[in-house]
Amino acid sequence: MTEWDRALNYIDGRWEEGSSGEFAENINPATNEVLGTVTLSTTEDVNRAVRAAEAAFRKWRLVPAPRRAQVLYRVGELLRQRKEQLARILTQEMGKVLEEARGEVQEAIDMAFYMGGEGRRLFGQTTPSELPNKMALSVREPVGVVGLITPWNFPIAIASWKSLPAIVAGNTVVWKPATETPFMAREFVKIYEEAGLPPGVLNLVYGSGSVVGEALVEHPGVQVISFTGSNEVGRSIAAKAGARLKRVSLEMGGKNAVIVMDDANMSLAVDAILWGAFGTTGQRCTATSRVIVHRSVKAQLEQMLLDRIPGLPIGNGLDEHVRIGPVINAVSLRRIHDYVQIGLQEGARLLTGGHTVEPSGLRGFYYAPTVFTDATADMRIAQEEIFGPVVTLIPVDSLEDAIQVNNRVAFGLSSSIFTQDVNRVFTAMRDLDTGIVYVNAGTTGAEIHLPFGGTKGTGNGHRDSGQAALDVFTEWKSIYVDFSGTLQRAQIDVGNV
Ligand code: NAP
Ligand code: MG
């Protein structure tokens, strides 16, 4: 290990150790090998990072937005130059296969250029006043210091969804990444530094959620918290932030379904289910975790899945022919296996999988792609997020049933329908109550210029990505300019025309 294998905090433009003096190991889940270590911080480090961000905000908010955007364009360039190197670090750090890791870095590249473009937009409204010789407009203002708390499953994409709009809008940032993926955070911050971001605009503080995350949520100097992660943690953040009247944007779990109707293009549906259920080893918030299948095509679908699953090699994601990498850690492996036992006890039928795997020579955390069938909508395996390579088939008899089953979960992130019938398509588009709906495509595949997020237990009404992200990181200011030279009173001095 070299000095660079220790991930350090970045506060006010300096790389430094956290004040706890302790380090955690960064494990490669494909091999169980130690890649390096990450510094652990205390509340004191968070306080210093917030002070640095507060000081930087006083200048950064006054830099014209198109100039702030120049930094984002350079970030995009550097990400593009380093795409392969970053993808390899990403695969080693959290396990997803190289092809998907490249896709994730591409998402950050796209976001950098898209949000760079926002530097020349950040549009508000200009509107006539109801009074003569007066004009009215609205502008987006940065909010101040924002706290970002991100998960390990998309360590650079999600960080890009949050940091790029926050920074282009003129805010300054304190970022706490997941302790499981410290190197991607370090690489991303290094790129911001090289791109010329002034010290203090983006600060990185490593440490556990319960220490560093909570300190950010509770710090009075942090105006906004943008969080992606589990429902449980999101709920506790919302409660604490609510008591402080702090704005919080939450993106949390999903229980996403593909609906396969009796007129579906079956081979396309199978492609989508395999990609959605087993891509990123099922550890995507938009993973396909349920398949709601018309009873008349259920047996055919089961057989097609059984035929295809043995063709998905399991192993180290650095190996280009591997299609399913490891899960993140041993705790996760156990949790997934526990859910499989629950499914069996509930009476669902295990079609394939349901056990750990040891690809030759690898000591990582592997689970076989697992399919349950003949489940009912109220079983726990059909209701709770498993976050592993497990998908559950639920038979139904009509589109109405399918939509009802789709909607009868606590989450509302993504849903998908396979059908050739335009009337069914438009009914589903209207009635599926998730933040994202796909037609004849699987549950994953969001593009960065559209809003990303979910309804019900998945979120709290905010969205990442697209222009919607700016709503999280800006405050509206309405400005009235009166050039009449008299006191004009709205709603009172409006004469008849
Ligand atoms: P997690 O345990 O909730 O952790 C997410 C982040 O929150 C990590 O940085 C974690 O830090 C931090 N954290 C933990 N406890 C905290 C606390 N008390 N206060 C403040 N921060 C705290 O989730 P995860 O296991 O990393 O990620 C998986 C979850 O994320 C799944 O539920 C998945 O569906 C969801 N997800 C949602 C989306 C979406 O956009 N809807 C996208 C991706 C993932 P440490 O881990 O370092 O302690
Ligand atoms: Mg790791």
Side-chain angles (χ1 to χ4, degrees):
M1 271 191 273
T2 67
E3 184 58 19
W4 198 235
D5 295 322
R6 298 185 332 143
L8 300 179
N9 289 341
Y10 184 74
I11 298 176
D12 208 11
R14 280 185 298 275
W15 296 93
E16 54 185 56
E17 279 185 30
S19 59
S20 81
E22 289 169 25
F23 283 77
E25 287 181 340
N26 184 8
I27 305 287
N28 179 345
T31 60
N32 208 352
E33 282 164 2
V34 179
L35 295 166
T37 59
V38 50
T39 193
L40 296 176
S41 312
T42 65
T43 306
E44 182 42 39
D45 300 307
V46 173
N47 292 342
R48 287 182 39 249
V50 174
R51 277 199 297 276
E54 283 173 332
F57 178 65
R58 289 193 278 276
K59 293 183 188 161
W60 187 243
R61 63 181 277 269
L62 300 177
V63 174
R67 298 250 195 96
R68 297 195 293 251
Q70 294 300 320
V71 176
L72 273 68
Y73 288 130
R74 287 195 291 272
V75 166
E77 260 328 307
L78 290 165
L79 285 167
R80 185 145 63 193
Q81 283 166 23
R82 289 183 205 163
K83 180 173 173 181
E84 186 61 22
Q85 178 198 339
L86 291 166
R88 287 182 171 272
I89 296 172
L90 174 42
T91 292
Q92 291 174 73
E93 189 167 65
M94 68 67 68
K96 69 177 63 174
V97 303
L98 208 43
E99 184 186 32
E100 291 179 46
R102 291 185 186 116
E104 180 175 344
V105 177
Q106 186 60 43
E107 203 166 325
I109 296 168
D110 294 342
M111 195 53 134
F113 289 110
Y114 174 72
M115 278 299 161
E118 281 307 313
R120 287 196 182 269
R121 287 187 293 265
L122 286 174
F123 294 140
Q125 298 108 27
T126 311
T127 178
S129 162
E130 65 187 43
L131 295 160
N133 297 320
K134 188 168 181 178
M135 75 170 288
L137 62 149
S138 64
V139 293
R140 286 187 186 275
E141 294 280 351
V143 190
V145 177
V146 308
L148 310 182
I149 302 176
T150 55
W152 50 265
N153 66 334
F154 281 89
I156 192 159
I158 292 175
S160 79
W161 295 356
K162 297 184 190 301
S163 63
L164 293 158
I167 288 171
V168 82
N171 302 281
T172 55
V173 175
V174 180
W175 175 25
K176 191 218 97 58
T179 310
E180 293 278 8
T181 49
F183 288 2
M184 287 313 284
R186 176 194 67 199
E187 295 304 309
F188 195 25
V189 171
K190 243 167 61 178
I191 282 175
Y192 268 113
E193 182 183 41
E194 285 177 47
L197 193 71
V201 175
L202 172 61
N203 305 275
L204 172 67
V205 184
Y206 291 110
S208 75
S210 55
V211 177
V212 173
E214 289 197 20
L216 264 181
V217 172
E218 280 169 14
H219 199 297
V222 177
Q223 311 303 320
V224 176
I225 293 286
S226 177
F227 167 84
T228 296
S230 62
N231 203 270
E232 188 192 0
V233 173
R235 206 177 281 270
S236 82
I237 289 177
K240 290 187 189 105
R244 289 162 179 76
L245 289 182
K246 190 176 287 199
R247 188 188 301 182
V248 205
S249 164
L250 304 173
E251 291 298 342
M252 301 172 288
K255 191 67 189 174
N256 317 293
V258 165
I259 296 172
V260 183
M261 294 309 297
D262 48 359
D263 63 343
N265 175 337
M266 292 298 285
S267 69
L268 181 61
V270 168
D271 284 344
I273 291 165
L274 294 174
W275 172 239
F278 305 133
T280 316
T281 322
Q283 303 168 110
R284 289 192 275 225
C285 49
T286 54
T288 305
S289 161
R290 300 181 294 158
V291 175
I292 302 167
V293 57
H294 195 282
R295 210 175 294 276
S296 66
V297 290
K298 184 188 74 125
Q300 186 190 353
L301 180 67
E302 287 170 357
Q303 191 54 51
M304 290 173 86
L305 290 169
L306 280 176
D307 290 345
R308 290 280 302 280
I309 286 171
L312 300 172
I314 304 171
N316 188 336
L318 284 182
D319 178 343
E320 296 270 6
H321 91 281
V322 163
R323 299 276 38 96
I324 303 181
V327 300
I328 187 71
N329 54 34
V331 173
S332 187
L333 198 63
R334 203 166 314 121
R335 207 199 54 245
I336 293 163
H337 194 60
D338 287 348
Y339 265 112
V340 169
Q341 305 318 306
I342 290 168
L344 290 169
Q345 282 156 22
E346 287 177 313
R349 183 160 64 85
L350 186 61
L351 195 64
T352 180
H355 53 84
T356 56
V357 187
E358 288 177 27
S360 65
L362 293 171
R363 291 191 302 117
F365 314 113
Y366 297 94
Y367 206 79
T370 298
V371 182
F372 276 109
T373 187
D374 296 329
T376 57
D378 51 358
M379 288 181 178
R380 284 184 63 194
I381 56 164
Q383 287 287 329
E384 298 173 20
E385 187 180 47
I386 299 175
F387 226 56
V390 181
V391 63
T392 297
L393 272 53
I394 307 164
V396 292
D397 294 302
S398 65
L399 178 66
E400 290 63 39
D401 285 355
I403 290 173
Q404 212 222 358
V405 167
N406 180 82
N407 294 351
R408 221 168 65 215
V409 290
F411 302 103
L413 186 52
S414 174
S415 49
S416 129
I417 182 162
F418 284 82
T419 177
Q420 310 290 332
D421 178 336
V422 69
N423 294 343
R424 285 172 163 177
V425 166
F426 276 83
T427 304
M429 283 162 52
R430 184 191 59 201
D431 292 343
L432 294 173
D433 69 355
T434 50
I436 306 171
V437 170
Y438 293 94
V439 176
N440 292 325
T443 56
T444 71
E447 300 179 26
I448 59 97
H449 53 299
L450 280 85
F452 182 95
T455 61
K456 300 190 286 189
T458 294
N460 65 340
H462 294 284
R463 292 291 184 267
D464 277 331
S465 226
Q467 287 196 322
L470 296 171
D471 295 335
V472 175
F473 299 114
T474 58
E475 195 84 73
W476 283 112
K477 183 182 278 178
S478 299
I479 303 172
Y480 301 89
V481 183
D482 193 319
F483 51 100
S484 71
T486 57
L487 177 68
Q488 304 196 82
R489 298 170 303 170
Q491 292 91 36
I492 296 169
D493 294 333
V494 184
N496 293 323
V497 176

